[in-house]
Structure formats: structure tokens, C-alpha cells
Amino acid sequence: MAGLFVTFEGGEGSGKSTQLARLAARLRARGLEPLVTREPGGTPLAEGIRDLLLDPARRPGAVSEALLMEAARAELVATLVRPALAAGRVVLCDRYDDSTLAYQGAGRGLDPGLLAILNQAATGGLEPDLTLLYDVPPEVGLARRESAAGETNRLDREPADFHLRVRRCFLDLAAAGPERWVVLDATATPDELERLGWAALEERLAGAGR
Ligand code: TYD
């Protein structure tokens, strides 16, 4: 049976990681064993790169930042995601290559054409079957982050217009790819978001014969 690759995207403090955990629990209740992972990270090597990337004490240039994201991605895709999909599993990934287009592209100003080539190199062209976008105004997301003590990382600390460009980019990507993307209003309650996310996921599961 074919696997199903689902990615979770959104700005800071959108609540997507909580939602990912809730949808994973629903899959388990159905007797499925999803692979739950995240970017950057997910393997020992990629988690090491994550520590470098999110450390507020470090200041990589935009290109270095992008290449480190891609190195972590290549590792995750080759060693965890592809084998899980080949084994017919559902994969839930907290962020994927669209985050590079949004953060390093729209946010940092790197050329989207270059980033598309790097994404292709890292993923071998592996695209999600479904991408859930947890859309939230940056001021709402960042305020949530700040109220959760100690959770801000290096990228959370970028200025407001950076986060506005990131949000715009995700919405543009979603508008350009409606067959893959489902946009959810992340100002909704966690229970409502779970209901909407599950509806989208269930539809794809049914399409994949589950
Ligand atoms: P994390 O604390 O996991 O944030 P979030 O809960 O918002 O996902 O940190 C991941 C950070 O890495 C986040 O600020 C977005 C950033 N990022 C990029 O800049 N480019 C990428 O390609 C990826 C995958 C993440």
C-alpha cells in the first residue's frame, strides 16, 4: 500500500506542532503507525544541524543558512522519509521544503529559482501529498510564542516585516497549488483546528485506500 506524505507549514506560534501531535494520535487510534518527524532535524545528524541553526548566539549568512537547512533535509528524506513511505506508512513532517522558500526566499531574499534547485537536490523531487498551512497573523503567533517562556529561537527574533513576507509566501504557494495545500485559520480554537485538519487528512487517507 502506498504511503502518504503530509507536511505542516506556518509561521511562528501557529500551533502546528500541537496539531501535528493531535493528528498523529488520531492516526494511532485508527491502528496506523505514522512516522512523526520535523525539519530541520529528525535524525541525529540533522538534529545536530538544527542546534547550530536555531542557536541565537550564531549568525550564519543567508546562503549558509539555506545550505544547512538543505543538508538536514537531504539526510532526513534519504534515511527516514523515503523508507517509511516505501513501507506504506503515513509520514507527518513538521515543516518541509516550502519553509525554505518562505524563510530563506521571501524572508532572507534569496533567489527562489536557486532555492528550488537546492530543494530538488535535497529531496530528489519528493513532494508531499498534502500540506496543511496553519495561517496566523505574525503578531498573534509571536505573542503566543513569547507567552510560552523560553521557546523563542533565532528565527523568531527576526523583525515583523520578515514574518509578514514569510506568511505572504506561504499563502501564495497555497494559492498556486490548491490540490496539495489546505489553508487553515490558526486563530481558531485547537479543537476546531484539529477537526479541520483531520477532515483534510481523512480525505487523503480515503484517496490512498485507507
Ligand atoms: P522551530 O522551533 O521548530 O519553529 P516552529 O515551531 O515555528 O516550526 O524552529 C524551526 C525554525 O526553522 C523556524 O523558525 C523556521 C525555520 N526554518 C527555516 O528557516 N527554513 C527551513 O527550511 C525550515 C525547515 C525551517
Side-chain angles (χ1 to χ4, degrees):
M1 192 170 290
L4 190 75
F5 186 24
V6 184
T7 58
F8 293 66
E9 299 283 3
E12 315 299 324
S14 64
K16 67 180 164 46
S17 308
T18 305
Q19 291 298 318
L20 189 157
R22 287 186 177 212
L23 296 184
R26 287 211 185 205
L27 288 169
R28 289 187 198 104
R30 269 220 179 171
L32 296 171
E33 267 196 39
L35 171 72
V36 172
T37 190
R38 67 175 178 182
E39 276 216 61
T43 76
L45 189 145
E47 289 288 331
I49 295 173
R50 177 188 179 88
D51 290 344
L52 294 173
L53 275 165
L54 299 186
D55 180 355
R58 297 178 197 272
R59 304 228 157 264
V63 173
S64 309
E65 184 178 81
L67 291 171
L68 286 166
M69 294 287 178
E70 299 292 1
R73 177 165 303 134
E75 191 64 17
L76 176 70
V77 169
T79 65
L80 280 186
V81 177
R82 282 191 183 274
L85 292 173
R89 293 176 70 189
V90 178
V91 176
L92 304 183
C93 192
D94 194 341
R95 298 193 180 280
Y96 189 55
D97 62 354
D98 297 301
S99 275
T100 298
L101 300 178
Y103 283 82
Q104 283 65 52
R108 299 269 187 247
L110 293 184
D111 173 15
L114 170 67
L115 295 175
I117 292 168
L118 296 176
N119 278 342
Q120 167 72 31
T123 65
L126 178 67
E127 283 193 15
D129 298 296
L130 169 66
T131 299
L132 297 171
L133 173 59
Y134 292 86
D135 178 55
V136 69
E139 63 277 12
V140 176
L142 290 166
R144 281 184 186 164
R145 264 288 148 90
E146 276 153 25
S147 63
E151 280 191 27
T152 61
N153 67 46
R154 190 172 58 79
L155 283 114
D156 292 339
R157 299 177 189 190
E158 290 297 329
D161 62 317
F162 176 97
H163 293 290
L164 285 171
R165 293 196 298 277
V166 167
R167 182 189 191 199
R168 183 76 260 151
C169 180
F170 278 134
L171 288 171
D172 288 347
L173 289 169
E179 60 299 325
R180 166 158 77 91
W181 290 77
V182 172
V183 182
L184 303 172
D185 174 0
T187 62
T189 64
D191 287 350
E192 177 66 359
L193 270 181
E194 180 182 343
R195 194 183 64 73
L196 295 169
W198 180 245
L201 179 51
E202 235 187 350
E203 194 186 308
R204 303 299 163 122
L205 285 171
R210 306 293 186 121

